[in-house]
Amino acid sequence: MNCSEARRLPALLGAVLRELRRAGNTSAAPPGPGSGADGSLYILLIMIFYGCLAGALILAYTRSRKMESKHDPYHLYIERDWGPGGPAQAAEEGGPAEGQR
């Protein structure tokens, strides 16, 4: 359709407006019973999956921190040798250390 003529332009714009109104009325209709159910189910499953993944990662991290604090040889060394009554404190008091006996 050629829009160069002044009479045809209002007819073309009126036809476009009628088409837009008709398309707007059909899109405003309520969705059917199965139109959005699949999308929301998919989103729900993905959210559950990532929630379980985040929970497992948090649980694994906290367990690893507990294991590290109980069984780490470095921490045991610090507690045994540099804690109260260890060789460092005995050397400060002037007594013999364990390695010097």
Side-chain angles (χ1 to χ4, degrees), residues 76-93 98:
L76 294 175
Y77 163 75
I78 294 294
E79 182 181 329
R80 185 188 71 221
D81 291 344
W82 296 98
Q89 188 175 8
E92 287 177 0
E93 293 174 358
E98 287 182 19

Side-chain angles (χ1 to χ4, degrees), residues 40-74:
S40 6
L41 180 63
Y42 176 74
I43 291 172
L44 180 65
L45 288 175
I46 295 297
M47 288 176 63
I48 289 172
F49 170 74
Y50 281 116
C52 291
L53 180 66
L57 288 174
I58 291 170
L59 185 63
Y61 177 74
T62 54
R63 282 189 178 178
S64 72
R65 297 298 291 173
K66 284 182 183 178
M67 296 300 273
E68 178 184 320
S69 64
K70 288 182 180 176
H71 302 292
D72 189 13
Y74 178 73

